[in-house]
Amino acid sequence: QVQLVESGGGLVQAGGSLRLSCAASGRIFSNLFTGWFRQAPGKEREFVAAINWSGDRTNFADSMKGRFTISRDNAKNTVYLQMNSLKPEDTAVYYCAAGPLLSSWSQSYNYWGQGTQVVVSS
């Protein structure tokens, strides 16, 4: 099994930046994809971005293109989500997940972290 732990969330002003980390441990498969999702209070969970093992395939939700980047450091078993030009509507709990497909569908992922809170003030 794979265990995922998110970190790096916090409070930031609009226009600022945060970098989230997703550290993996346990039985790690080299062909696993990693996705980021977020969920705001009272809202449904939505897809943010995903990346494959080698980092040469990525996918982003349209609202995040140009502001967010996803990358990974396999030597550290860690995936990153760099968030720039943050907006108040980016406020949410951010989750990382791992699964066999590069997908925007949450049910494609088998392993989930506990989430990290991001709050963007105006």
Side-chain angles (χ1 to χ4, degrees):
Q1 300 295 316
V2 176
Q3 292 80 47
L4 305 174
V5 179
E6 304 95 335
S7 62
L11 175 64
V12 64
Q13 294 183 359
S17 299
L18 284 174
R19 188 181 72 166
L20 306 184
S21 299
C22 175
S25 61
R27 189 179 180 186
I28 302 170
F29 298 93
S30 62
N31 62 345
L32 285 179
F33 296 80
T34 302
W36 285 94
F37 294 79
R38 69 185 186 185
Q39 187 167 20
K43 305 294 184 180
E44 295 185 351
R45 185 169 297 184
E46 66 174 335
F47 172 74
V48 176
I51 190 170
N52 69 339
W53 178 259
S54 62
D56 61 350
R57 292 184 62 196
T58 60
N59 191 26
F60 292 89
D62 288 342
S63 62
M64 269 67 80
K65 289 181 179 178
R67 298 191 299 122
F68 292 8
T69 58
I70 187 170
S71 62
R72 66 194 312 155
D73 184 345
N74 289 338
K76 297 181 178 180
N77 293 324
T78 300
V79 173
Y80 304 97
L81 182 68
Q82 178 68 46
M83 305 186 295
N84 300 321
S85 301
L86 284 164
K87 305 174 182 179
E89 52 262 44
D90 295 319
T91 295
V93 177
Y94 284 71
Y95 300 89
C96 67
L101 301 173
L102 183 65
S103 175
S104 61
W105 186 37
S106 63
Q107 295 191 47
S108 296
Y109 296 88
N110 306 112
Y111 311 102
W112 290 82
Q114 295 294 326
T116 185
Q117 177 73 58
V118 171
V119 178
V120 183
S121 62
S122 60

